[in-house]
Amino acid sequence: MELSALIFSFFCCCSLIFSGVQGSAHHYHEGRGHNHRGDYGFRPTKLFVFGDSYADTGNIRKTLANSWNIPYGITFPGKPAGRFSDGRVLTDYVAKSLGLKTPIAYAWRKIGAKKLRYGMNFAFGGSGVFDTLGDLLPNMTTQIDFFENLVNESVYTKWDLQSSVVLVSLAGNDYAAFLQNGGTIQGLQGFIPRVVNQLAVNLKRISEFEARKIVVTALQPLGCLPRITQLTSFQRCNNTQNTAVQFHNLLLRQAVAKLNNETRRSNIFVLDLYDSFTTILDQKNDLKAGKLKFESPLKPCCLGTCAECSCGSLDDKGKKLYTVCSDPKSAFFWDSSHPTQAGWRAVYTTLKSGVEQFVQIQQS
């Protein structure tokens, strides 16, 4: 199988929402007299998020992404809300474990100004560290520019940042763009270091804003996505593709170790989605936090009914071109690329203690 099969499709045509998001400069500054330097007893006040569909909570334009179509959101909040799942995604679970409410999506900040106090989510489904769909999607550098503009406008201050946690999600869209734009399998070996190097540049830039803690995702096992495993009737992952993912993750760990050494702050943590996904998909562990095994774990709950169809697709007459399983809680994957809410809950259950230890949250 060609390695080009390993990456996500682009979730239809994704795009920014620029209209109606230029909210007035509300100021949400936390107490300046607090000690933000000592890690012990740290209580984060905000979560800022950068990345793609694994973290996006509503930045994608409604008319251009299936995440705004039924049946997305049927578990939470009960209707489509821009999340690429039936319910909650990684951002929601990270926020909850930090004792915070889910931060508002950047595109909705004007109408949700009261929620700015919880931080902000700049992640856009389909994006990467480089441009993935020309200028239709903000790459991670542009997302950080959005954040910097808010800091320059004093919507947030350095005091806010010193009491914040940052989540950075990178789930593989750069590799899709590379291969779809004529990149070769041989060239991919040289492209992976470029992706990780740019991610490291972004992490360093975020760190220079004095964000207290930064959590960055390792790449999940792309060879286990339903888009790939459908070729084996959802029975087997593609190990060749997962080997490429492991190369990405090795370089990421090396880059993070270097950044932590340079800053002498050890404020960047790799969230190991690869290990978490494979632990659950292998079905070898019943974790104490609850039964995390899934029936047919490689088979998604929501499937398109034709070759060009995907979850949420409709024909010209509005007829559904997809099927949905009877119980999304029984499935790990929601669609061809993304976990269900139950899947994300299982993933984060395996990661929660590591995150909380890294952040060193003060217990109330």
Side-chain angles (χ1 to χ4, degrees):
M1 184 193 305
E2 288 188 354
L3 192 58
S4 58
L6 108 175
I7 316 287
F8 298 141
S9 71
F10 281 112
F11 322 123
C12 301
C13 296
C14 301
S15 183
L16 270 167
I17 307 174
F18 284 111
S19 59
V21 298
Q22 301 298 325
S24 58
H26 296 267
H27 302 265
Y28 289 99
H29 309 157
E30 300 300 326
R32 302 189 181 191
H34 292 231
N35 177 12
H36 293 292
R37 283 302 174 192
D39 278 342
Y40 294 97
F42 171 51
R43 298 197 70 176
T45 63
K46 292 176 178 59
L47 175 65
F48 295 100
V49 185
F50 304 94
D52 47 36
S53 60
Y54 273 22
D56 189 354
T57 55
N59 278 317
I60 288 297
R61 185 184 298 176
K62 288 185 176 181
T63 57
L64 296 178
N66 276 7
S67 60
W68 287 102
N69 294 348
I70 295 172
Y72 286 83
I74 58 172
T75 300
F76 173 84
K79 61 182 180 179
R83 289 172 172 82
F84 288 80
S85 182
D86 65 306
R88 294 172 178 87
V89 297
L90 181 60
T91 298
D92 299 296
Y93 285 102
V94 172
K96 182 178 180 180
S97 74
L98 298 176
L100 301 172
K101 293 188 177 181
T102 297
I104 190 169
Y106 171 78
W108 300 97
R109 73 184 191 275
K110 181 177 180 180
I111 63 173
K114 292 181 179 179
K115 296 182 179 180
L116 297 181
R117 64 174 62 91
Y118 308 123
M120 192 169 290
N121 187 344
F122 300 88
F124 283 76
S127 67
V129 294
F130 299 123
D131 290 336
T132 52
L133 284 175
D135 59 358
L136 292 177
L137 283 169
N139 63 34
M140 195 176 292
T141 298
T142 302
Q143 294 174 24
I144 299 171
D145 289 343
F146 295 158
F147 171 65
E148 185 174 14
N149 289 340
L150 295 182
V151 173
N152 291 339
E153 295 167 4
S154 297
V155 176
Y156 298 111
T157 73
K158 66 178 182 180
W159 306 104
D160 296 322
L161 304 179
Q162 289 172 0
S163 63
S164 70
V165 173
V166 176
L167 172 64
V168 179
S169 169
L170 190 71
N173 295 309
D174 290 288
Y175 300 126
F178 175 78
L179 294 166
Q180 292 186 6
N181 290 328
T184 64
I185 304 304
Q186 294 76 14
L188 189 62
Q189 184 175 357
F191 184 62
I192 291 174
R194 287 183 55 202
V195 170
V196 175
N197 288 343
Q198 182 58 47
L199 178 56
V201 169
N202 294 339
L203 292 173
K204 183 176 181 180
R205 183 179 173 198
I206 293 169
S207 182
E208 288 172 349
F209 283 106
E210 298 191 50
R212 183 64 164 276
K213 298 287 184 178
I214 303 169
V215 177
V216 58
T217 61
L219 205 58
Q220 75 280 12
L222 296 175
C224 295
L225 298 182
R227 191 174 302 283
I228 309 309
T229 63
Q230 65 181 345
L231 299 174
T232 62
S233 299
F234 307 110
Q235 296 300 308
R236 295 191 306 278
C237 299
N238 186 293
N239 292 329
T240 300
Q241 296 166 0
N242 286 342
T243 298
V245 171
Q246 290 172 334
F247 178 46
H248 169 104
N249 289 340
L250 172 64
L251 295 182
L252 174 62
R253 290 188 181 281
Q254 292 174 345
V256 167
K258 182 180 179 182
L259 287 170
N260 281 334
N261 183 59
E262 289 174 351
T263 61
R264 298 183 180 180
R265 289 164 56 191
S266 297
N267 68 327
I268 307 175
F269 174 79
V270 177
L271 193 66
D272 196 346
L273 293 189
Y274 188 95
D275 182 69
S276 180
F277 273 55
T278 55
T279 295
I280 295 165
L281 295 174
D282 285 345
Q283 302 216 3
K284 294 177 181 177
N285 300 78
D286 278 318
L287 302 182
K288 293 181 180 179
K291 185 179 180 183
L292 300 182
K293 289 189 176 182
F294 295 89
E295 301 173 11
S296 304
L298 297 177
K299 184 177 180 179
C301 175
C302 189
L303 273 169
T305 57
C306 66
E308 297 78 22
C309 305
S310 60
C311 182
S313 293
L314 302 173
D315 66 14
D316 293 339
K317 298 180 180 179
K319 180 182 177 181
K320 293 189 297 185
L321 298 175
Y322 61 88
T323 60
V324 183
C325 66
S326 60
D327 182 16
K329 292 191 297 296
S330 69
F332 176 77
F333 283 109
W334 168 244
D335 59 15
S336 61
S337 300
H338 307 92
T340 58
Q341 173 175 293
W344 275 123
R345 178 185 176 276
V347 166
Y348 201 70
T349 296
T350 71
L351 300 169
K352 182 172 183 279
S353 62
V355 173
E356 292 180 352
Q357 183 178 359
F358 168 68
V359 175
Q360 296 177 320
I361 299 172
Q362 177 184 340
Q363 300 300 318
S364 56

